[in-house]
mmCIF file of all heavy atoms in Angstrom:
data_model
loop_
_atom_site.group_PDB
_atom_site.id
_atom_site.type_symbol
_atom_site.label_atom_id
_atom_site.label_comp_id
_atom_site.label_asym_id
_atom_site.label_seq_id
_atom_site.Cartn_x
_atom_site.Cartn_y
_atom_site.Cartn_z
ATOM 1 N N GLN A 65 -123.774 1.243 131.060
ATOM 2 C CA GLN A 65 -125.215 1.224 131.320
ATOM 3 C C GLN A 65 -125.553 1.046 132.801
ATOM 4 O O GLN A 65 -126.725 1.091 133.182
ATOM 5 C CB GLN A 65 -125.862 0.096 130.508
ATOM 6 C CG GLN A 65 -125.666 0.239 129.008
ATOM 7 C CD GLN A 65 -126.117 -0.993 128.253
ATOM 8 O OE1 GLN A 65 -127.037 -1.685 128.657
ATOM 9 N NE2 GLN A 65 -125.456 -1.267 127.126
ATOM 10 N N LEU A 66 -124.541 0.860 133.616
ATOM 11 C CA LEU A 66 -124.761 0.573 135.035
ATOM 12 C C LEU A 66 -125.213 1.835 135.773
ATOM 13 O O LEU A 66 -124.558 2.874 135.707
ATOM 14 C CB LEU A 66 -123.460 0.044 135.652
ATOM 15 C CG LEU A 66 -123.519 -0.542 137.053
ATOM 16 C CD1 LEU A 66 -124.410 -1.773 137.107
ATOM 17 C CD2 LEU A 66 -122.107 -0.901 137.538
ATOM 18 N N GLU A 67 -126.321 1.728 136.474
ATOM 19 C CA GLU A 67 -126.866 2.885 137.187
ATOM 20 C C GLU A 67 -126.815 2.722 138.702
ATOM 21 O O GLU A 67 -126.660 3.705 139.423
ATOM 22 C CB GLU A 67 -128.323 3.135 136.743
ATOM 23 C CG GLU A 67 -128.436 3.540 135.271
ATOM 24 C CD GLU A 67 -129.872 3.820 134.860
ATOM 25 O OE1 GLU A 67 -130.787 3.575 135.683
ATOM 26 O OE2 GLU A 67 -130.087 4.281 133.717
ATOM 27 N N GLU A 68 -126.960 1.508 139.194
ATOM 28 C CA GLU A 68 -127.023 1.316 140.646
ATOM 29 C C GLU A 68 -125.636 1.442 141.278
ATOM 30 O O GLU A 68 -124.625 1.056 140.674
ATOM 31 C CB GLU A 68 -127.608 -0.063 140.958
ATOM 32 C CG GLU A 68 -126.706 -1.201 140.517
ATOM 33 C CD GLU A 68 -127.461 -2.492 140.248
ATOM 34 O OE1 GLU A 68 -128.424 -2.466 139.474
ATOM 35 O OE2 GLU A 68 -127.065 -3.510 140.820
ATOM 36 N N PRO A 69 -125.547 2.004 142.478
ATOM 37 C CA PRO A 69 -124.261 2.098 143.180
ATOM 38 C C PRO A 69 -123.649 0.707 143.358
ATOM 39 O O PRO A 69 -124.320 -0.218 143.823
ATOM 40 C CB PRO A 69 -124.637 2.717 144.528
ATOM 41 C CG PRO A 69 -125.942 3.418 144.282
ATOM 42 C CD PRO A 69 -126.644 2.595 143.260
ATOM 43 N N SER A 70 -122.393 0.575 142.974
ATOM 44 C CA SER A 70 -121.773 -0.748 142.940
ATOM 45 C C SER A 70 -120.344 -0.714 143.439
ATOM 46 O O SER A 70 -119.646 0.293 143.322
ATOM 47 C CB SER A 70 -121.803 -1.310 141.512
ATOM 48 O OG SER A 70 -123.118 -1.412 141.021
ATOM 49 N N ILE A 71 -119.932 -1.850 143.969
ATOM 50 C CA ILE A 71 -118.539 -2.108 144.317
ATOM 51 C C ILE A 71 -118.089 -3.260 143.429
ATOM 52 O O ILE A 71 -118.732 -4.309 143.399
ATOM 53 C CB ILE A 71 -118.379 -2.479 145.801
ATOM 54 C CG1 ILE A 71 -118.878 -1.356 146.709
ATOM 55 C CG2 ILE A 71 -116.914 -2.803 146.121
ATOM 56 C CD1 ILE A 71 -118.961 -1.746 148.183
ATOM 57 N N LEU A 72 -117.013 -3.051 142.686
ATOM 58 C CA LEU A 72 -116.476 -4.075 141.786
ATOM 59 C C LEU A 72 -115.136 -4.532 142.344
ATOM 60 O O LEU A 72 -114.250 -3.714 142.584
ATOM 61 C CB LEU A 72 -116.329 -3.502 140.378
ATOM 62 C CG LEU A 72 -115.924 -4.443 139.228
ATOM 63 C CD1 LEU A 72 -116.332 -3.828 137.887
ATOM 64 C CD2 LEU A 72 -114.425 -4.756 139.210
ATOM 65 N N VAL A 73 -115.006 -5.839 142.558
ATOM 66 C CA VAL A 73 -113.758 -6.373 143.109
ATOM 67 C C VAL A 73 -113.344 -7.603 142.322
ATOM 68 O O VAL A 73 -114.135 -8.172 141.564
ATOM 69 C CB VAL A 73 -113.902 -6.759 144.602
ATOM 70 C CG1 VAL A 73 -114.464 -5.614 145.416
ATOM 71 C CG2 VAL A 73 -114.771 -8.003 144.771
ATOM 72 N N GLY A 74 -112.104 -8.007 142.520
ATOM 73 C CA GLY A 74 -111.679 -9.286 141.998
ATOM 74 C C GLY A 74 -110.312 -9.281 141.360
ATOM 75 O O GLY A 74 -109.590 -8.284 141.362
ATOM 76 N N ASP A 75 -109.986 -10.434 140.817
ATOM 77 C CA ASP A 75 -108.744 -10.607 140.064
ATOM 78 C C ASP A 75 -109.049 -10.203 138.628
ATOM 79 O O ASP A 75 -109.627 -10.972 137.865
ATOM 80 C CB ASP A 75 -108.288 -12.063 140.153
ATOM 81 C CG ASP A 75 -107.032 -12.339 139.342
ATOM 82 O OD1 ASP A 75 -106.476 -11.373 138.762
ATOM 83 O OD2 ASP A 75 -106.604 -13.505 139.278
ATOM 84 N N LEU A 76 -108.641 -8.990 138.266
ATOM 85 C CA LEU A 76 -108.907 -8.474 136.932
ATOM 86 C C LEU A 76 -107.755 -8.757 135.970
ATOM 87 O O LEU A 76 -107.828 -8.440 134.792
ATOM 88 C CB LEU A 76 -109.197 -6.969 136.986
ATOM 89 C CG LEU A 76 -110.334 -6.552 137.928
ATOM 90 C CD1 LEU A 76 -110.642 -5.065 137.761
ATOM 91 C CD2 LEU A 76 -111.586 -7.390 137.729
ATOM 92 N N ASN A 77 -106.686 -9.351 136.490
ATOM 93 C CA ASN A 77 -105.564 -9.842 135.676
ATOM 94 C C ASN A 77 -104.912 -8.773 134.802
ATOM 95 O O ASN A 77 -104.346 -9.082 133.757
ATOM 96 C CB ASN A 77 -106.003 -11.037 134.825
ATOM 97 C CG ASN A 77 -105.654 -12.357 135.492
ATOM 98 O OD1 ASN A 77 -104.537 -12.547 135.963
ATOM 99 N ND2 ASN A 77 -106.618 -13.263 135.564
ATOM 100 N N ILE A 78 -104.981 -7.516 135.259
ATOM 101 C CA ILE A 78 -104.265 -6.424 134.606
ATOM 102 C C ILE A 78 -103.662 -5.531 135.684
ATOM 103 O O ILE A 78 -104.345 -5.183 136.664
ATOM 104 C CB ILE A 78 -105.187 -5.583 133.702
ATOM 105 C CG1 ILE A 78 -105.754 -6.435 132.561
ATOM 106 C CG2 ILE A 78 -104.435 -4.385 133.114
ATOM 107 C CD1 ILE A 78 -106.785 -5.718 131.714
ATOM 108 N N ALA A 79 -102.408 -5.189 135.502
ATOM 109 C CA ALA A 79 -101.729 -4.217 136.359
ATOM 110 C C ALA A 79 -101.565 -2.947 135.525
ATOM 111 O O ALA A 79 -100.660 -2.848 134.695
ATOM 112 C CB ALA A 79 -100.373 -4.748 136.807
ATOM 113 N N PRO A 80 -102.447 -1.955 135.686
ATOM 114 C CA PRO A 80 -102.514 -0.859 134.714
ATOM 115 C C PRO A 80 -101.435 0.217 134.834
ATOM 116 O O PRO A 80 -101.023 0.780 133.822
ATOM 117 C CB PRO A 80 -103.896 -0.254 134.964
ATOM 118 C CG PRO A 80 -104.186 -0.562 136.402
ATOM 119 C CD PRO A 80 -103.552 -1.895 136.656
ATOM 120 N N LEU A 81 -100.982 0.506 136.041
ATOM 121 C CA LEU A 81 -100.070 1.630 136.236
ATOM 122 C C LEU A 81 -98.604 1.168 136.229
ATOM 123 O O LEU A 81 -98.303 0.010 136.521
ATOM 124 C CB LEU A 81 -100.377 2.347 137.542
ATOM 125 C CG LEU A 81 -101.811 2.877 137.707
ATOM 126 C CD1 LEU A 81 -101.981 3.484 139.085
ATOM 127 C CD2 LEU A 81 -102.141 3.887 136.617
ATOM 128 N N GLU A 82 -97.707 2.100 135.954
ATOM 129 C CA GLU A 82 -96.281 1.756 135.931
ATOM 130 C C GLU A 82 -95.808 1.212 137.276
ATOM 131 O O GLU A 82 -94.976 0.302 137.320
ATOM 132 C CB GLU A 82 -95.445 2.977 135.531
ATOM 133 C CG GLU A 82 -95.627 3.391 134.083
ATOM 134 C CD GLU A 82 -94.632 4.458 133.642
ATOM 135 O OE1 GLU A 82 -93.648 4.682 134.371
ATOM 136 O OE2 GLU A 82 -94.835 5.056 132.559
ATOM 137 N N GLU A 83 -96.354 1.767 138.356
ATOM 138 C CA GLU A 83 -95.929 1.331 139.693
ATOM 139 C C GLU A 83 -96.750 0.155 140.209
ATOM 140 O O GLU A 83 -96.647 -0.233 141.367
ATOM 141 C CB GLU A 83 -95.993 2.502 140.672
ATOM 142 C CG GLU A 83 -95.100 3.674 140.295
ATOM 143 C CD GLU A 83 -93.632 3.288 140.141
ATOM 144 O OE1 GLU A 83 -93.140 2.473 140.934
ATOM 145 O OE2 GLU A 83 -92.978 3.792 139.212
ATOM 146 N N ASP A 84 -97.595 -0.430 139.323
ATOM 147 C CA ASP A 84 -98.331 -1.649 139.661
ATOM 148 C C ASP A 84 -97.535 -2.894 139.308
ATOM 149 O O ASP A 84 -98.019 -4.014 139.500
ATOM 150 C CB ASP A 84 -99.672 -1.693 138.902
ATOM 151 C CG ASP A 84 -100.693 -0.718 139.453
ATOM 152 O OD1 ASP A 84 -100.563 -0.297 140.620
ATOM 153 O OD2 ASP A 84 -101.639 -0.376 138.709
ATOM 154 N N VAL A 85 -96.341 -2.712 138.759
ATOM 155 C CA VAL A 85 -95.480 -3.846 138.411
ATOM 156 C C VAL A 85 -94.052 -3.552 138.877
ATOM 157 O O VAL A 85 -93.675 -2.396 139.071
ATOM 158 C CB VAL A 85 -95.472 -4.126 136.893
ATOM 159 C CG1 VAL A 85 -96.848 -4.559 136.413
ATOM 160 C CG2 VAL A 85 -94.996 -2.910 136.100
ATOM 161 N N TRP A 86 -93.278 -4.599 139.018
ATOM 162 C CA TRP A 86 -91.921 -4.442 139.558
ATOM 163 C C TRP A 86 -90.987 -3.761 138.577
ATOM 164 O O TRP A 86 -90.035 -3.104 138.980
ATOM 165 C CB TRP A 86 -91.358 -5.800 139.995
ATOM 166 C CG TRP A 86 -91.140 -6.788 138.893
ATOM 167 C CD1 TRP A 86 -92.056 -7.648 138.356
ATOM 168 C CD2 TRP A 86 -89.916 -7.034 138.196
ATOM 169 N NE1 TRP A 86 -91.497 -8.403 137.363
ATOM 170 C CE2 TRP A 86 -90.170 -8.062 137.240
ATOM 171 C CE3 TRP A 86 -88.627 -6.509 138.273
ATOM 172 C CZ2 TRP A 86 -89.188 -8.558 136.387
ATOM 173 C CZ3 TRP A 86 -87.647 -7.001 137.420
ATOM 174 C CH2 TRP A 86 -87.928 -8.007 136.496
ATOM 175 N N ASP A 87 -91.251 -3.887 137.262
ATOM 176 C CA ASP A 87 -90.417 -3.224 136.268
ATOM 177 C C ASP A 87 -91.270 -2.929 135.037
ATOM 178 O O ASP A 87 -91.563 -3.828 134.235
ATOM 179 C CB ASP A 87 -89.218 -4.100 135.888
ATOM 180 C CG ASP A 87 -88.174 -3.339 135.064
ATOM 181 O OD1 ASP A 87 -88.569 -2.644 134.107
ATOM 182 O OD2 ASP A 87 -86.970 -3.447 135.381
ATOM 183 N N HIS A 88 -91.669 -1.681 134.906
ATOM 184 C CA HIS A 88 -92.576 -1.275 133.826
ATOM 185 C C HIS A 88 -92.011 -1.604 132.447
ATOM 186 O O HIS A 88 -92.694 -2.202 131.602
ATOM 187 C CB HIS A 88 -92.843 0.232 133.942
ATOM 188 C CG HIS A 88 -93.495 0.844 132.759
ATOM 189 N ND1 HIS A 88 -94.753 0.475 132.323
ATOM 190 C CD2 HIS A 88 -93.063 1.805 131.892
ATOM 191 C CE1 HIS A 88 -95.067 1.183 131.246
ATOM 192 N NE2 HIS A 88 -94.066 1.991 130.973
ATOM 193 N N LYS A 89 -90.760 -1.263 132.178
ATOM 194 C CA LYS A 89 -90.181 -1.475 130.844
ATOM 195 C C LYS A 89 -90.040 -2.957 130.510
ATOM 196 O O LYS A 89 -90.306 -3.375 129.372
ATOM 197 C CB LYS A 89 -88.816 -0.775 130.753
ATOM 198 C CG LYS A 89 -88.917 0.750 130.745
ATOM 199 C CD LYS A 89 -87.559 1.397 130.572
ATOM 200 C CE LYS A 89 -87.680 2.917 130.528
ATOM 201 N NZ LYS A 89 -86.361 3.582 130.393
ATOM 202 N N LYS A 90 -89.659 -3.755 131.496
ATOM 203 C CA LYS A 90 -89.469 -5.183 131.239
ATOM 204 C C LYS A 90 -90.793 -5.918 131.035
ATOM 205 O O LYS A 90 -90.813 -6.991 130.409
ATOM 206 C CB LYS A 90 -88.693 -5.825 132.391
ATOM 207 C CG LYS A 90 -87.222 -5.458 132.419
ATOM 208 C CD LYS A 90 -86.488 -6.187 133.530
ATOM 209 C CE LYS A 90 -84.995 -5.825 133.523
ATOM 210 N NZ LYS A 90 -84.259 -6.481 134.623
ATOM 211 N N LEU A 91 -91.882 -5.359 131.538
ATOM 212 C CA LEU A 91 -93.166 -6.056 131.461
ATOM 213 C C LEU A 91 -94.106 -5.507 130.382
ATOM 214 O O LEU A 91 -95.238 -5.973 130.267
ATOM 215 C CB LEU A 91 -93.871 -6.036 132.828
ATOM 216 C CG LEU A 91 -93.521 -7.220 133.739
ATOM 217 C CD1 LEU A 91 -92.076 -7.151 134.200
ATOM 218 C CD2 LEU A 91 -94.453 -7.297 134.923
ATOM 219 N N LEU A 92 -93.643 -4.562 129.595
ATOM 220 C CA LEU A 92 -94.495 -3.964 128.566
ATOM 221 C C LEU A 92 -94.995 -4.975 127.529
ATOM 222 O O LEU A 92 -96.052 -4.779 126.928
ATOM 223 C CB LEU A 92 -93.748 -2.831 127.843
ATOM 224 C CG LEU A 92 -93.771 -1.474 128.547
ATOM 225 C CD1 LEU A 92 -92.854 -0.490 127.818
ATOM 226 C CD2 LEU A 92 -95.190 -0.911 128.609
ATOM 227 N N LYS A 93 -94.250 -6.053 127.345
ATOM 228 C CA LYS A 93 -94.662 -7.077 126.391
ATOM 229 C C LYS A 93 -95.123 -8.354 127.088
ATOM 230 O O LYS A 93 -95.272 -9.400 126.440
ATOM 231 C CB LYS A 93 -93.505 -7.387 125.425
ATOM 232 C CG LYS A 93 -93.132 -6.216 124.528
ATOM 233 C CD LYS A 93 -92.030 -6.584 123.552
ATOM 234 C CE LYS A 93 -91.678 -5.378 122.657
ATOM 235 N NZ LYS A 93 -90.586 -5.723 121.695
ATOM 236 N N VAL A 94 -95.339 -8.251 128.396
ATOM 237 C CA VAL A 94 -95.799 -9.397 129.181
ATOM 238 C C VAL A 94 -97.290 -9.243 129.464
ATOM 239 O O VAL A 94 -97.736 -8.182 129.938
ATOM 240 C CB VAL A 94 -95.003 -9.507 130.509
ATOM 241 C CG1 VAL A 94 -95.569 -10.620 131.375
ATOM 242 C CG2 VAL A 94 -93.525 -9.744 130.214
ATOM 243 N N VAL A 95 -98.058 -10.295 129.167
ATOM 244 C CA VAL A 95 -99.504 -10.246 129.378
ATOM 245 C C VAL A 95 -99.823 -9.874 130.824
ATOM 246 O O VAL A 95 -99.238 -10.426 131.759
ATOM 247 C CB VAL A 95 -100.146 -11.599 129.016
ATOM 248 C CG1 VAL A 95 -101.621 -11.618 129.409
ATOM 249 C CG2 VAL A 95 -100.000 -11.869 127.525
ATOM 250 N N SER A 96 -100.712 -8.911 130.969
ATOM 251 C CA SER A 96 -101.181 -8.278 132.220
ATOM 252 C C SER A 96 -100.732 -6.823 132.310
ATOM 253 O O SER A 96 -101.313 -6.045 133.064
ATOM 254 C CB SER A 96 -100.759 -9.008 133.517
ATOM 255 O OG SER A 96 -99.408 -8.747 133.842
ATOM 256 N N HIS A 97 -99.696 -6.443 131.511
ATOM 257 C CA HIS A 97 -99.217 -5.056 131.582
ATOM 258 C C HIS A 97 -98.966 -4.475 130.187
ATOM 259 O O HIS A 97 -98.319 -3.445 130.052
ATOM 260 C CB HIS A 97 -97.941 -4.995 132.429
ATOM 261 C CG HIS A 97 -97.505 -3.605 132.795
ATOM 262 N ND1 HIS A 97 -98.276 -2.748 133.542
ATOM 263 C CD2 HIS A 97 -96.366 -2.918 132.508
ATOM 264 C CE1 HIS A 97 -97.635 -1.596 133.711
ATOM 265 N NE2 HIS A 97 -96.477 -1.678 133.080
ATOM 266 N N THR A 98 -99.472 -5.123 129.161
ATOM 267 C CA THR A 98 -99.249 -4.616 127.801
ATOM 268 C C THR A 98 -100.107 -3.378 127.544
ATOM 269 O O THR A 98 -101.169 -3.210 128.150
ATOM 270 C CB THR A 98 -99.594 -5.687 126.748
ATOM 271 O OG1 THR A 98 -101.002 -5.962 126.802
ATOM 272 C CG2 THR A 98 -98.817 -6.967 126.992
ATOM 273 N N PRO A 99 -99.679 -2.508 126.660
ATOM 274 C CA PRO A 99 -100.444 -1.286 126.377
ATOM 275 C C PRO A 99 -101.886 -1.550 125.943
ATOM 276 O O PRO A 99 -102.797 -0.806 126.327
ATOM 277 C CB PRO A 99 -99.637 -0.625 125.261
ATOM 278 C CG PRO A 99 -98.233 -1.070 125.505
ATOM 279 C CD PRO A 99 -98.354 -2.483 125.994
ATOM 280 N N VAL A 100 -102.115 -2.606 125.167
ATOM 281 C CA VAL A 100 -103.482 -2.877 124.708
ATOM 282 C C VAL A 100 -104.397 -3.243 125.877
ATOM 283 O O VAL A 100 -105.569 -2.839 125.921
ATOM 284 C CB VAL A 100 -103.495 -3.976 123.618
ATOM 285 C CG1 VAL A 100 -103.028 -5.324 124.152
ATOM 286 C CG2 VAL A 100 -104.890 -4.099 123.012
ATOM 287 N N GLU A 101 -103.876 -3.988 126.853
ATOM 288 C CA GLU A 101 -104.670 -4.342 128.032
ATOM 289 C C GLU A 101 -104.920 -3.127 128.917
ATOM 290 O O GLU A 101 -106.033 -2.928 129.430
ATOM 291 C CB GLU A 101 -103.965 -5.424 128.840
ATOM 292 C CG GLU A 101 -103.874 -6.761 128.167
ATOM 293 C CD GLU A 101 -102.918 -7.674 128.911
ATOM 294 O OE1 GLU A 101 -101.689 -7.579 128.684
ATOM 295 O OE2 GLU A 101 -103.400 -8.470 129.732
ATOM 296 N N VAL A 102 -103.879 -2.335 129.112
ATOM 297 C CA VAL A 102 -104.013 -1.137 129.938
ATOM 298 C C VAL A 102 -105.034 -0.181 129.325
ATOM 299 O O VAL A 102 -105.900 0.370 130.027
ATOM 300 C CB VAL A 102 -102.648 -0.444 130.121
ATOM 301 C CG1 VAL A 102 -102.820 0.922 130.781
ATOM 302 C CG2 VAL A 102 -101.713 -1.333 130.950
ATOM 303 N N GLU A 103 -104.984 -0.024 128.013
ATOM 304 C CA GLU A 103 -105.944 0.843 127.329
ATOM 305 C C GLU A 103 -107.370 0.314 127.501
ATOM 306 O O GLU A 103 -108.304 1.084 127.743
ATOM 307 C CB GLU A 103 -105.599 0.941 125.844
ATOM 308 C CG GLU A 103 -106.517 1.880 125.067
ATOM 309 C CD GLU A 103 -106.188 1.954 123.587
ATOM 310 O OE1 GLU A 103 -105.202 1.318 123.161
ATOM 311 O OE2 GLU A 103 -106.924 2.646 122.858
ATOM 312 N N ALA A 104 -107.523 -1.006 127.393
ATOM 313 C CA ALA A 104 -108.846 -1.612 127.559
ATOM 314 C C ALA A 104 -109.374 -1.400 128.976
ATOM 315 O O ALA A 104 -110.563 -1.110 129.172
ATOM 316 C CB ALA A 104 -108.780 -3.108 127.234
ATOM 317 N N MET A 105 -108.491 -1.508 129.968
ATOM 318 C CA MET A 105 -108.930 -1.288 131.350
ATOM 319 C C MET A 105 -109.295 0.171 131.586
ATOM 320 O O MET A 105 -110.284 0.460 132.281
ATOM 321 C CB MET A 105 -107.853 -1.729 132.344
ATOM 322 C CG MET A 105 -108.228 -1.443 133.791
ATOM 323 S SD MET A 105 -107.095 -2.128 135.017
ATOM 324 C CE MET A 105 -107.822 -3.755 135.261
ATOM 325 N N LEU A 106 -108.534 1.095 131.030
ATOM 326 C CA LEU A 106 -108.850 2.516 131.202
ATOM 327 C C LEU A 106 -110.203 2.854 130.582
ATOM 328 O O LEU A 106 -110.984 3.626 131.147
ATOM 329 C CB LEU A 106 -107.738 3.378 130.616
ATOM 330 C CG LEU A 106 -106.392 3.306 131.342
ATOM 331 C CD1 LEU A 106 -105.351 4.158 130.627
ATOM 332 C CD2 LEU A 106 -106.521 3.739 132.800
ATOM 333 N N LYS A 107 -110.505 2.263 129.432
ATOM 334 C CA LYS A 107 -111.819 2.466 128.808
ATOM 335 C C LYS A 107 -112.920 1.903 129.691
ATOM 336 O O LYS A 107 -113.993 2.500 129.822
ATOM 337 C CB LYS A 107 -111.855 1.805 127.426
ATOM 338 C CG LYS A 107 -111.082 2.547 126.347
ATOM 339 C CD LYS A 107 -111.214 1.840 125.006
ATOM 340 C CE LYS A 107 -110.476 2.595 123.908
ATOM 341 N NZ LYS A 107 -110.560 1.881 122.598
ATOM 342 N N LEU A 108 -112.651 0.745 130.273
ATOM 343 C CA LEU A 108 -113.604 0.128 131.197
ATOM 344 C C LEU A 108 -113.865 1.036 132.393
ATOM 345 O O LEU A 108 -115.026 1.264 132.775
ATOM 346 C CB LEU A 108 -113.057 -1.227 131.652
ATOM 347 C CG LEU A 108 -113.685 -1.890 132.879
ATOM 348 C CD1 LEU A 108 -115.180 -2.096 132.694
ATOM 349 C CD2 LEU A 108 -112.982 -3.215 133.176
ATOM 350 N N MET A 109 -112.827 1.591 132.973
ATOM 351 C CA MET A 109 -112.985 2.458 134.142
ATOM 352 C C MET A 109 -113.745 3.736 133.773
ATOM 353 O O MET A 109 -114.623 4.192 134.524
ATOM 354 C CB MET A 109 -111.622 2.793 134.741
ATOM 355 C CG MET A 109 -110.890 1.587 135.299
ATOM 356 S SD MET A 109 -109.398 2.026 136.229
ATOM 357 C CE MET A 109 -110.116 2.571 137.776
ATOM 358 N N GLU A 110 -113.428 4.284 132.613
ATOM 359 C CA GLU A 110 -114.074 5.525 132.182
ATOM 360 C C GLU A 110 -115.567 5.334 131.908
ATOM 361 O O GLU A 110 -116.362 6.261 132.074
ATOM 362 C CB GLU A 110 -113.379 6.056 130.924
ATOM 363 C CG GLU A 110 -111.987 6.608 131.180
ATOM 364 C CD GLU A 110 -111.224 6.894 129.896
ATOM 365 O OE1 GLU A 110 -111.808 6.670 128.807
ATOM 366 O OE2 GLU A 110 -110.053 7.307 129.979
ATOM 367 N N ALA A 111 -115.953 4.131 131.497
ATOM 368 C CA ALA A 111 -117.341 3.880 131.099
ATOM 369 C C ALA A 111 -118.333 4.103 132.230
ATOM 370 O O ALA A 111 -119.493 4.448 131.991
ATOM 371 C CB ALA A 111 -117.470 2.451 130.561
ATOM 372 N N HIS A 112 -117.896 3.891 133.468
ATOM 373 C CA HIS A 112 -118.771 4.103 134.629
ATOM 374 C C HIS A 112 -118.153 5.101 135.606
ATOM 375 O O HIS A 112 -118.680 5.315 136.697
ATOM 376 C CB HIS A 112 -119.034 2.757 135.332
ATOM 377 C CG HIS A 112 -119.951 2.816 136.501
ATOM 378 N ND1 HIS A 112 -121.292 3.164 136.399
ATOM 379 C CD2 HIS A 112 -119.746 2.565 137.827
ATOM 380 C CE1 HIS A 112 -121.851 3.131 137.600
ATOM 381 N NE2 HIS A 112 -120.934 2.763 138.482
#
C-alpha cells in the first residue's frame, strides 16, 4: 500500500541470497537463511 518514495534500512535479520552467507548449504536450517524466511523476504520486496 506504500505510495510515497521511501528508503528502507535496518537490521532485517535475513540473509536472502546464497552469497549473503558464508556457506549456503550449512545455513539452510539456521534461522536467518531458511527457505521460509527467504520466501517471506522475497514477497516483501515484491510487494513494493
Side-chain angles (χ1 to χ4, degrees):
Q65 300 171 31
L66 190 63
E67 295 182 353
E68 66 205 53
S70 301
I71 300 171
L72 187 159
V73 308
D75 178 4
L76 305 187
N77 264 313
I78 297 174
L81 303 176
E82 291 189 14
E83 300 303 321
D84 287 339
V85 295
W86 65 275
D87 191 313
H88 167 62
K89 290 183 179 179
K90 287 183 179 178
L91 271 68
L92 277 173
K93 295 183 180 180
V94 175
V95 172
S96 77
H97 191 61
T98 65
V100 65
E101 293 168 277
V102 171
E103 183 181 357
M105 177 173 271
L106 293 177
K107 286 182 178 178
L108 164 57
M109 295 189 78
E110 289 170 1
H112 182 65

